[in-house]
Amino acid sequence: GENVEQHPSTLSVQEGDSAVIKCTYSDSASNYFPWYKQELGKRPQLIIDIRSNVGEKKDQRIAVTLNKTAKHFSLHITETQPEDSAVYFCAAYNNNDMRFGAGTRLTVKP
Amino acid sequence: GAVVSQHPSWVICKSGTSVKIECRSLDFQATTMFWYRQFPKQSLMLMATSNEGSKATYEQGVEKDKFLINHASLTLSTLTVTSAHPEDSSFYICSAPDSRGTNEKLFFGSGTQLSVL
């Protein structure tokens, strides 16, 4: 089955700096890669996603890149703000099966 | 977007009792419901996938008789933790793809924090 690895597990940045979180996946058939933001005790919220036929997608301060050949994808957050502090999960989807990475706890220091 | 309503949001129970968690899709038909468990500071671990009208598919290591899943209608899926023990204390969360779309985007319930004394 699919195996998703996510790094780093924790990330601390200064407000205004950029943050990058990386994920790799094992199943080359996976074709959809969402990123979720989860605050403590709350449901994950989809923040951006990318399909396998696209290499990059951007939404304001958030961007995701996908390298299908290398089977890795990354989340980029620019101009980070304290409210970006949360746990971020990547995921890989194939055929009605969604697998999550272990999560990255992002702390943005004011 | 689609809405998945999950109840209860938190529950405290005595060891040995059973707890039922409900997830309802409010504005779409959820033919599939994923059930996840999340321990503190850990990721979402898939427990099982339920499909309306058929038996759930459980992940390896998840006890079918302990975590009973029912998906009797297109808008309701339930997870019952039977004979709960302290080690079952966790955050349980459901999610469903909106069948009206491409079926990949998941909509999550608000989660249930279970504490077994």
Side-chain angles (χ1 to χ4, degrees):
Chain A
E2 176 65 275
N3 181 44
V4 179
E5 294 192 357
Q6 182 172 347
H7 299 279
S9 56
T10 60
L11 178 60
S12 181
V13 300
Q14 207 66 37
E15 182 178 1
D17 288 349
S18 295
V20 180
I21 303 170
K22 298 182 179 182
C23 287
T24 61
Y25 60 100
S26 60
D27 189 350
S28 56
S30 291
N31 54 18
Y32 174 69
F33 307 92
W35 285 88
Y36 289 89
K37 175 184 179 182
Q38 187 181 28
E39 298 177 3
L40 188 63
K42 296 187 177 181
R43 76 186 84 193
Q45 298 281 354
L46 177 69
I47 56 171
I48 196 166
D49 55 13
I50 192 167
R51 299 186 188 282
S52 58
N53 59 348
V54 176
E56 185 175 356
K57 184 177 178 180
K58 189 174 181 180
D59 183 4
Q60 299 182 342
R61 296 186 297 110
I62 296 173
V64 58
T65 59
L66 170 66
N67 184 326
K68 278 195 66 179
T69 303
K71 288 188 280 189
H72 66 70
F73 56 113
S74 302
L75 177 71
H76 305 253
I77 306 175
T78 58
E79 301 171 33
T80 54
Q81 301 166 3
E83 49 267 37
D84 294 329
S85 297
V87 178
Y88 292 80
F89 293 99
C90 63
Y93 173 89
N94 175 40
N95 195 27
N96 213 32
D97 185 1
M98 182 80 78
R99 300 289 167 154
F100 289 84
T104 297
R105 181 170 299 279
L106 173 65
T107 303
V108 180
K109 297 178 181 178
Chain B
V3 176
V4 176
S5 176
Q6 182 171 349
H7 295 280
S9 55
W10 58 271
V11 59
I12 300 173
C13 69
K14 293 181 179 180
S15 186
T17 60
S18 294
V19 175
K20 180 186 278 189
I21 301 169
E22 292 188 351
C23 279
R24 294 180 184 273
S25 56
L26 298 186
D27 52 357
F28 69 101
Q29 293 182 333
T31 54
T32 300
M33 189 75 73
F34 299 105
W35 287 94
Y36 294 88
R37 179 168 54 185
Q38 186 176 34
F39 292 109
K41 298 185 179 181
Q42 292 189 22
S43 188
L44 297 152
M45 300 303 298
L46 181 64
M47 298 175 65
T49 302
S50 72
N51 292 289
E52 186 270 335
S54 63
K55 290 184 179 180
T57 303
Y58 289 80
E59 294 299 300
Q60 192 172 9
V62 178
E63 299 175 55
K64 300 179 184 182
D65 295 331
K66 182 169 184 61
F67 299 99
L68 299 179
I69 290 175
N70 185 282
H71 196 149
S73 78
L74 287 171
T75 58
L76 175 64
S77 178
T78 61
L79 167 66
T80 301
V81 184
T82 62
S83 187
H85 291 283
E87 57 265 32
D88 298 324
S89 299
S90 186
F91 187 66
Y92 293 86
I93 193 164
C94 61
S95 69
D98 186 348
S99 56
R100 298 169 299 182
T102 55
N103 230 34
E104 303 133 338
K105 290 192 176 182
L106 295 185
F107 297 90
F108 284 87
S110 53
T112 297
Q113 184 64 53
L114 171 63
S115 296
V116 184
L117 303 178

